């Protein structure tokens, strides 16, 4: 039961990050996506699962959620392209929100996969090096490293050359506060 709850929480948060993350707010003077408040929870969940159930169970979480993301990505594209019924008055807004999300979902899939695989590898490495001790340090260090991988990959795939001002330097300037907030 606990593992099912963790899996549901993990997958739900990943999907929520993709659906809700397009909203940008000003938090402590920095413009950030609302998704940054959910991202650290995913790394915490995988660290707990790896500590209690092992690396293979985390791989199941990752690949099951990855499949779910691909399905959501596919439905997002198809549903946005379908012709609306005459009584549906918000097709332009629907397309604006969900088709702009497609690039973010793709960026999220790549960043999620590499960030989580990195987290799993770093956590396992630190567990071996510490002989299974110092959970707090292992958890935080693996999460900090993996969040950097996740953030940089996501920001470059989602924003690089989105508009002329989105140069590599500009994307990095956006990624730094995102990483620090995570």
């Amino acid at each position: 039961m606990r593992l099912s709850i963790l899996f549901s929480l993990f997958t739900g948060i990943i999907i929520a990050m993709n659906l809700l993350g397009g909203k940008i707010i000003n938090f402590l003077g920095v413009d950030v996506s609302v998704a940054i408040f959910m991202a650290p929870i995913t790394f915490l969940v995988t660290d707990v699962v790896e500590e209690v159930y092992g690396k293979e169970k985390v791989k199941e979480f990752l690949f099951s959620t990855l499949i779910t993301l691909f399905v959501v990505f596919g439905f997002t594209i198809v549903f946005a392209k379908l012709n609306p019924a005459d009584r549906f008055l918000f097709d332009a807004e629907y397309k604006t929100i969900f088709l702009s999300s497609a690039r973010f979902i793709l960026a999220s899939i790549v960043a999620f996969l590499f960030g989580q695989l990195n987290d799993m590898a770093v956590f396992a490495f630190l567990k071996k090096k510490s002989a299974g001790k110092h959970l707090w340090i292992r958890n935080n260090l693996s999460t900090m490293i993996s969040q950097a991988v996740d953030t940089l990959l996501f920001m470059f795939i989602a924003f690089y050359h989105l508009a002329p001002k989105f140069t590599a330097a500009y994307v990095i300037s956006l990624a730094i506060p995102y990483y620090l907030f995570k």
Side-chain angles (χ1 to χ4, degrees), residues 159-176:
F159 297 110
Y160 185 64
H161 286 302
L162 186 65
K165 77 176 193 176
F166 285 89
T167 63
Y170 184 73
V171 172
I172 290 171
S173 77
L174 292 174
I176 290 169

Side-chain angles (χ1 to χ4, degrees), residues 82-91:
L82 289 176
N83 290 325
D86 291 338
R87 65 185 177 102
F88 185 68
L89 304 176
F90 303 105
D91 193 53

Side-chain angles (χ1 to χ4, degrees), residues 75-86:
F75 281 129
T76 299
I77 300 300
V78 170
F79 293 168
K81 300 270 184 188
L82 289 176
N83 290 325
D86 291 338

Side-chain angles (χ1 to χ4, degrees), residues 22 24 96 99-105 107 154-168 170-171 174 178:
I24 306 299
T96 297
L99 288 180
S100 67
S101 295
R103 182 171 175 166
F104 298 131
I105 292 172
F154 176 81
M155 296 301 277
F156 270 94
I157 296 167
F159 297 110
Y160 185 64
H161 286 302
L162 186 65
K165 77 176 193 176
F166 285 89
T167 63
Y170 184 73
V171 172
L174 292 174
Y178 272 62

Side-chain angles (χ1 to χ4, degrees), residues 74-139:
F75 281 129
T76 299
I77 300 300
V78 170
F79 293 168
K81 300 270 184 188
L82 289 176
N83 290 325
D86 291 338
R87 65 185 177 102
F88 185 68
L89 304 176
F90 303 105
D91 193 53
E93 293 84 354
Y94 187 92
K95 286 180 179 177
T96 297
I97 291 169
F98 288 107
L99 288 180
S100 67
S101 295
R103 182 171 175 166
F104 298 131
I105 292 172
L106 184 60
S108 178
I109 288 170
V110 173
F112 164 77
L113 179 62
F114 284 98
Q116 291 290 345
L117 288 173
N118 179 275
D119 186 60
M120 185 175 63
V122 171
F123 188 83
F125 173 79
L126 294 172
K127 185 175 183 177
K128 185 177 181 180
K129 288 293 184 190
S130 69
K133 297 177 183 175
H134 312 296
L135 174 61
W136 185 85
I137 293 171
R138 289 185 280 132
N139 178 291

Side-chain angles (χ1 to χ4, degrees), residues 52-85:
V52 176
Y53 299 98
K55 187 185 280 190
E56 291 306 312
K57 191 53 73 177
V58 175
K59 285 182 184 177
E60 286 180 33
F61 269 46
L62 297 180
F63 290 110
S64 296
T65 302
L66 189 62
I67 290 167
T68 303
L69 278 175
F70 274 116
V71 170
V72 169
F73 178 73
F75 281 129
T76 299
I77 300 300
V78 170
F79 293 168
K81 300 270 184 188
L82 289 176
N83 290 325

